[in-house]
Amino acid sequence: MVNKSVGRPITQPENPHALTAQVLAEMLQVSVTNGLSKEEVDLRRRVFGPNKIAARPAVKRLALLLHQFTSPVAYLLAAAAALAFYFNELEEGFAIAAVLAANAAIGFFTELKAARSIEALRALDTQTARVRRDGLVGRVPSDDLVPGDIVPLEAGDAVSADIRLIEGSRIAADESALSGESTPMEKHSQAVAQMARLSERSSMLFKGTAVTHGSGIGIVTATGFATELGKISWLVIEADAGKSPLERKLARLSAQLAGATLVVAALVAVLGILAGRDKFLIVESAIALAVAAIPEGLPIVATLALARGMWRMVQENALIERLSAVETLGATTLILTDKTGTLTENRMVVQRLCTAEGEVNLHTEHDDKALLAELRADWQLALLLRLAVLCNDADLERVDAAGTGDPMEIALLRVGLQGSFRRSDLLLDHPLVRKHAFDPTQKMMATIHSSAAGVLVAVKGAPEAVINCATHVAVGNGEITLDEKSRSRWLDRVELLAGQGLRVLACAMRLRPQEPFSPFDQLVLVGLIGLQDPARADVPQAIRQCQQAGIRVVMVTGDHAATAKSIGRAIGLGESAANVVEGKSIDAMLKSGQPMLHDVGIFARVDPSEKLALVRAYQAAGDIVAMTGDGVNDAPALRQAKIGVAMGLRGTDVAREASAMILLDDAFSTIIKAVREGRVIFSNIRRAVAYLLSCNLSELIVVGAAVAGSLSLTLLPLQILYLNLVTDVFPAFALATSEGENGILDKPPRDPKEPILGHRQWSNILLHGMLLSVATLTANKVAIILIFDQAATVTITFLTLAFSQLWHVFNMRNRTDGVIFNEITRNRFLWLSLVLCITLLAIPPYFSPAAHLLHLVPLSTEMWFIVLISSILPLFTIQVAAASTRILVSIRR
């Protein structure tokens, strides 16, 4: 594709892997230093289009509407309408068709709203990419990348377009999704042969892959369908099926109930015909009975509950990526959480500077002229700050700015600025030659600089790693040998600082005539830097909530053991905080099968492979594990955990893609909020299912008893359909939106294998269904005894069953909640649904067309008395029984 809006045509270049970086930049008319301008980006986006290959297709309205007519209920309603027309019962036929249309409309609009809600939630997690434009580095949606964009890359970044490397430091990429190669592919910035195979194009990074380690800068050469991934149709991302295990369980339950109901309905029809009843009326009643008994609202209720619950989660800064996570959240028994940014504020502040000559305490984040003068006057402190600023990947131009990059490195730049050591100024005297990105194995990073005296190597990293690589230590204006005794004293200082809750870094250097083969050999230790990352104020309360909810919290961090222990005490991990195991001991501990796994409160100095081993070990011990992570190397453990939780602010793209939930604020307290919501969603669905089935059972018993007993029909077919339409829909939907009981986090996690309906729920359904039907049949009998005519008797029976089902929603409260004030009575949607349903039930007897169609008559005072007293009896009976049970339990205690 050609862009004719600029001086020369711009194309997505062919074979960019074989071109030098300079030639490629000229072809794409871009400055590597400044990137593209905003105006040029807009022009190229119009020419090349968005950087998209495929997206989850939105739910089509027509498909969703047609789906409403493919359920067993729709088939039965259509059969009933056809039967009515066959017997020339036109009013019945059109009325049933209207019910079919109304049922489809309710399902359509409810599912459409829920589907749009879930699509909107997914859109919140738009993948972003760092890009340099107009001389500034910022983040943009990856869809906005255009050919010619200059893209900085770090370990953990998902590659969002085809990119030609122009700078690279020990960079490698996971290309397994594209090439099938299981090991990361090393990359570099040199051109390769034009005929090189895809797997041999080591100067390229491809869309759909991920940077596993190292860093670099590249030029976007292709976007969208022009990328290598876009050319391979079978690698297009398929749309998510969108069905959680919970929804599949409900669909299976509906199918099983539908089969059983059809058998019962057929039996009722046969018995009615054998008893000599009107064939049309009996067959139509049997079909209507089947329609009433099948809980067609279950899938819709589940979708509504999930969508609303997911919205509530995102309002609490928890974005659910997979619906299956919602069900699992309520069953979580263990949270493996990292420290930085999750348990702490991720607001690093330099507190201590230590050199061989002594140390300086920094008590403020703001400028202190006397302190700054001391920093500049002390040669060793000044050298320590210069190294910390040079060996840095972050950007910070002003002390009071937020900066971009790792919070720890921003803190180093900030204290450097306070000492008047600006990185851009230092780089003028010591230009950057090469960067060795942080290596999780070596736990160090290095930058190589040219200087008047030769080549300067600046190193920073974990203190024990740097100290072990150092052979000398800086003192005065020179250096002395670092012997074992001195090494031990430095490690003691590290232990002391870490015990005060500080995160400790060591800085070292090496000055040689030429660039060394390895940047980490024969280092000169310059000093230690202690940084503080305060614990989040809301974490101790969240930890207590987890403990009350039966969820253990274990800290898994790469920090020093003493630092982790100090934070563990501050956040309230309790006695378990004293039991700290370092990563190097994990393998031996797991192999020995020690039972101490559940006694450990903190794992320190843990690398990603050890995180994965811990997740597997806890799962093997029977725990349902939620694990937090932010790096590319956390992805395997995040996938392994039942609930992978990625950081939304500092998490890498790869970690986010591997996770089921994303914390938009990186806060640990958000996890327990999400756990609560997961429990509420499951509870709401269970409650709505129990309500629907008990109501449907009562209808089945009432009509079945009348047909089997050769009594006059207590309910007519259209009445059953109307009743099903009103009481099965709105109250059940309202129950699915409950905000949950106050003490839901005081209960232990549920067994994930536990079915939606257990023995207790089935017992309640049978009991409640029978009480509703007994009250209805009693009202029918009373009406007959009082010599009401057939129409009045049917009206009384119909309204008694309808209102008893409406009052039945109050039986859905938790047994431990109060009778008057509980989560049911606090649900405003429930009261709205009751007002709507009462209106829809009270108007038809007094509205002639509806009364004629439903065979109802206006009610007298006596009739209303029978209806209200009879309909409230089940509620009264159930509440009295519950109160009596509670009193007996209390007495026994």
Side-chain angles (χ1 to χ4, degrees):
M1 190 173 291
V2 179
N3 176 8
K4 298 181 180 179
S5 63
V6 292
R8 298 196 310 274
I10 297 293
T11 62
Q12 300 188 65
E14 296 182 4
N15 304 317
H17 55 276
L19 303 174
T20 65
Q22 183 178 355
V23 169
L24 190 60
E26 290 176 357
M27 288 180 61
L28 292 171
Q29 300 182 36
V30 61
S31 163
V32 175
T33 305
N34 296 319
L36 298 173
S37 66
K38 182 180 182 302
E39 294 76 13
E40 184 62 25
V41 169
D42 292 339
L43 288 172
R44 296 191 186 196
R45 190 179 298 119
R46 285 198 291 271
V47 173
F48 297 110
N51 179 33
K52 289 183 178 179
I53 293 177
R56 293 183 178 98
V59 175
K60 290 185 167 51
R61 293 172 183 265
L62 179 60
L64 194 59
L65 180 61
L66 293 176
H67 173 68
Q68 306 306 315
F69 297 98
T70 60
S71 65
V73 175
Y75 298 148
L76 289 170
L77 284 174
L83 188 67
F85 288 126
Y86 177 78
F87 283 98
N88 205 31
E89 297 286 345
L90 300 182
E91 285 185 349
E92 294 274 301
F94 285 118
I96 295 172
V99 170
L100 175 60
N103 191 64
I106 292 171
F108 170 74
F109 287 112
T110 304
E111 289 195 63
L112 180 65
K113 183 177 180 180
R116 292 291 183 257
S117 296
I118 293 173
E119 288 167 7
L121 285 174
R122 284 170 175 161
L124 292 175
D125 188 38
T126 303
Q127 193 178 92
T128 60
R130 283 197 302 162
V131 64
R132 182 181 295 160
R133 290 174 179 170
D134 289 318
L136 299 174
V137 176
R139 280 199 172 272
V140 300
S142 59
D143 294 351
D144 288 349
L145 290 178
V146 297
D149 264 328
I150 303 300
V151 179
L153 295 155
E154 298 286 348
D157 288 346
V159 182
S160 302
D162 282 4
I163 295 172
R164 169 67 163 86
L165 277 175
I166 54 177
E167 293 180 19
S169 171
R170 304 180 67 187
I171 191 166
D174 176 6
E175 297 184 346
S176 56
L178 192 65
S179 66
E181 181 63 45
S182 58
T183 57
M185 304 296 292
E186 297 293 333
K187 299 291 181 177
H188 56 73
S189 58
Q190 286 77 37
V192 298
Q194 181 174 323
M195 300 305 294
R197 296 170 58 85
L198 189 68
S199 59
E200 299 169 348
R201 297 175 190 175
S202 50
S203 59
M204 295 291 300
L205 293 168
F206 300 106
K207 182 177 177 68
T209 65
V211 179
T212 57
H213 62 261
S215 61
I217 298 175
I219 301 179
V220 174
T221 59
T223 58
F225 283 100
T227 63
E228 293 298 329
L229 185 62
K231 296 173 185 176
I232 307 174
S233 59
W234 56 83
L235 285 183
V236 171
I237 301 173
E238 294 181 356
D240 186 3
K243 292 295 182 184
S244 71
L246 184 61
E247 290 177 300
R248 290 194 288 270
K249 287 179 185 177
L250 285 172
R252 194 181 311 119
L253 178 62
S254 296
Q256 292 168 347
L257 291 172
T261 300
L262 289 175
V263 173
V264 173
L267 182 61
V268 167
V270 170
L271 291 175
I273 292 172
L274 292 177
R277 313 295 286 279
D278 179 83
K279 291 182 180 179
F280 167 70
L281 193 59
I282 289 297
V283 173
E284 192 179 34
S285 295
I287 292 176
L289 184 62
V291 171
I294 295 174
E296 70 279 3
L298 292 191
I300 301 175
V301 165
T303 303
L304 182 67
L306 287 168
R308 180 169 172 76
M310 289 168 70
W311 267 115
R312 282 204 294 252
M313 285 186 187
V314 84
Q315 288 168 355
E316 297 289 354
N317 291 310
L319 179 61
I320 297 297
E321 283 286 277
R322 294 197 291 271
L323 287 177
S324 58
V326 176
E327 183 179 6
T328 311
L329 273 169
T332 301
T333 62
L334 175 73
I335 299 175
L336 297 178
T337 176
D338 62 353
K339 177 183 73 69
T340 305
T342 307
L343 301 177
T344 61
E345 294 181 4
N346 201 25
R347 183 180 58 85
M348 303 297 291
V349 179
V350 176
Q351 292 288 324
R352 202 77 56 84
L353 300 176
C354 303
T355 66
E357 304 298 324
E359 61 183 57
V360 174
N361 292 312
L362 306 180
H363 301 294
T364 175
E365 297 180 46
H366 306 291
D367 291 340
D368 183 325
K369 292 182 179 179
L371 178 62
L372 299 184
E374 180 181 354
L375 292 178
R376 292 190 64 83
D378 188 304
W379 179 85
Q380 289 188 56
L381 288 176
L383 178 59
L384 180 62
L385 285 181
R386 284 201 298 268
L387 292 174
V389 170
L390 284 171
C391 188
N392 206 300
D393 282 327
D395 290 308
L396 182 72
E397 291 300 318
R398 301 191 318 274
V399 171
D400 58 349
T404 59
D406 184 276
M408 180 196 67
E409 295 197 323
I410 292 174
L412 297 177
L413 292 182
R414 182 170 283 114
V415 76
L417 286 172
Q418 290 172 337
S420 299
F421 299 113
R422 185 182 299 274
R423 189 165 191 268
S424 56
D425 294 340
L426 293 180
L427 289 175
L428 292 176
D429 294 330
H430 301 84
L432 180 65
V433 175
R434 185 169 292 101
K435 179 172 63 177
H436 293 264
F438 179 79
D439 188 326
T441 303
Q442 293 180 308
K443 298 180 180 179
M444 292 180 289
M445 74 168 287
T447 51
I448 314 298
H449 306 266
S450 60
S451 70
V455 175
L456 171 67
V457 180
V459 175
K460 78 171 189 296
E464 58 269 31
V466 176
I467 292 172
N468 286 337
C469 290
T471 57
H472 293 75
V473 61
V475 292
N477 289 325
E479 59 189 54
I480 61 173
T481 301
L482 182 64
D483 56 26
E484 289 305 314
K485 188 175 180 180
S486 298
R487 200 184 306 275
S488 178
R489 283 199 299 268
W490 278 98
L491 291 174
D492 288 342
R493 294 180 77 179
V494 171
E495 196 75 27
L496 180 63
L497 292 174
Q500 297 169 4
L502 299 180
R503 181 174 182 180
V504 187
L505 288 175
C507 290
M509 61 170 286
R510 185 179 180 186
L511 190 61
R512 293 290 184 269
Q514 59 185 13
E515 183 177 342
F517 178 75
S518 171
F520 304 121
D521 288 342
Q522 298 180 346
L523 296 176
V524 178
L525 177 65
V526 175
L528 305 175
I529 300 177
L531 302 99
Q532 186 180 50
D533 184 10
R536 286 178 178 260
D538 57 345
V539 167
Q541 174 63 20
I543 296 289
R544 286 193 294 272
Q545 287 180 317
C546 285
Q547 292 166 347
Q548 291 170 359
I551 302 172
R552 291 181 56 241
V553 178
V554 176
M555 184 196 300
V556 182
T557 178
D559 273 353
H560 194 281
T563 305
K565 184 184 292 186
S566 176
I567 293 294
R569 288 194 298 264
I571 63 175
L573 283 183
E575 295 179 2
S576 64
N579 195 352
V580 181
V581 173
E582 293 202 8
K584 60 186 179 183
S585 304
I586 289 176
D587 186 53
M589 183 188 74
L590 297 181
K591 286 181 179 178
S592 65
Q594 295 181 20
M596 64 178 294
L597 191 64
H598 287 279
D599 298 326
V600 178
I602 299 171
F603 290 95
R605 287 297 191 222
V606 176
D607 65 31
S609 63
E610 290 160 349
K611 279 189 179 182
L612 178 59
L614 284 174
V615 172
R616 288 174 173 166
Y618 277 111
Q619 287 177 333
D623 278 303
I624 306 300
V625 180
M627 193 206 113
T628 70
D630 59 3
V632 61
N633 291 323
D634 292 331
L638 289 170
R639 287 194 184 97
Q640 178 70 33
K642 279 290 185 180
I643 300 287
V645 182
M647 303 298 108
L649 297 178
R650 60 187 172 87
T652 61
D653 296 328
V654 175
R656 288 156 65 94
E657 289 172 2
S659 299
M661 184 169 77
I662 295 173
L663 301 184
L664 300 179
D665 58 358
D666 289 9
F668 177 83
S669 58
T670 300
I671 300 176
I672 192 64
K673 292 175 184 176
V675 168
R676 182 189 185 279
E677 198 59 50
R679 292 187 179 188
V680 169
I681 289 173
F682 187 86
S683 175
N684 285 347
I685 292 176
R686 169 176 278 179
R687 183 180 291 113
V689 170
Y691 171 78
L692 284 171
L693 293 184
S694 54
C695 289
N696 288 2
L697 178 62
S698 66
E699 296 169 14
L700 189 66
I701 293 174
V702 168
V703 178
V707 174
S710 297
L711 304 174
S712 59
L713 281 178
T714 51
L715 291 176
L716 299 175
L718 271 180
Q719 292 174 346
I720 297 173
L721 294 175
Y722 187 75
L723 188 64
N724 189 59
L725 190 66
V726 173
T727 61
D728 268 16
V729 174
F730 303 111
F733 284 1
L735 287 172
T737 63
S738 171
E739 294 186 3
E741 58 185 293
N742 293 328
I744 199 165
L745 282 178
D746 296 334
K747 300 177 180 178
R750 65 176 178 82
D751 186 341
K753 297 179 182 178
E754 181 182 340
I756 296 173
L757 298 176
H759 293 299
R760 185 168 66 84
Q761 286 77 33
W762 278 115
S763 298
N764 287 337
I765 289 169
L766 292 173
L767 176 62
H768 294 170
M770 291 188 67
L771 286 174
L772 295 176
S773 57
V774 167
T776 304
L777 292 172
T778 300
N780 175 268
K781 193 67 175 178
V782 169
I784 294 173
I785 293 173
L786 295 178
I787 320 178
F788 283 107
D789 61 21
Q790 174 74 14
T793 300
V794 169
T795 301
I796 290 172
T797 307
F798 168 72
L799 289 178
T800 298
L801 182 56
F803 279 103
S804 65
Q805 290 181 349
L806 290 185
W807 312 145
H808 183 47
V809 295
F810 296 108
N811 292 323
M812 296 295 104
R813 69 178 176 86
N814 188 274
R815 291 181 300 174
T816 59
D817 283 349
V819 175
I820 304 300
F821 300 104
N822 52 64
E823 62 175 313
I824 302 298
T825 58
R826 290 193 300 266
N827 188 339
R828 68 181 186 276
F829 294 110
L830 183 65
W831 291 106
L832 291 173
S833 72
L834 289 179
V835 170
L836 176 61
C837 290
I838 289 171
T839 303
L840 292 174
L841 291 171
I843 288 178
Y846 302 98
F847 181 57
S848 296
H852 174 71
L853 194 61
L854 293 174
H855 299 282
L856 301 175
V857 296
L859 285 80
S860 64
T861 302
E862 293 85 354
M863 293 170 67
W864 271 118
F865 182 78
I866 295 172
V867 168
L868 293 177
I869 293 298
S870 300
S871 65
I872 208 168
L873 276 176
L875 175 64
F876 179 78
T877 304
I878 293 169
Q879 294 301 323
V880 169
S884 301
T885 302
R886 211 161 44 242
I887 292 172
L888 288 174
V889 171
S890 178
I891 291 173
R892 288 175 182 173
R893 288 178 181 173

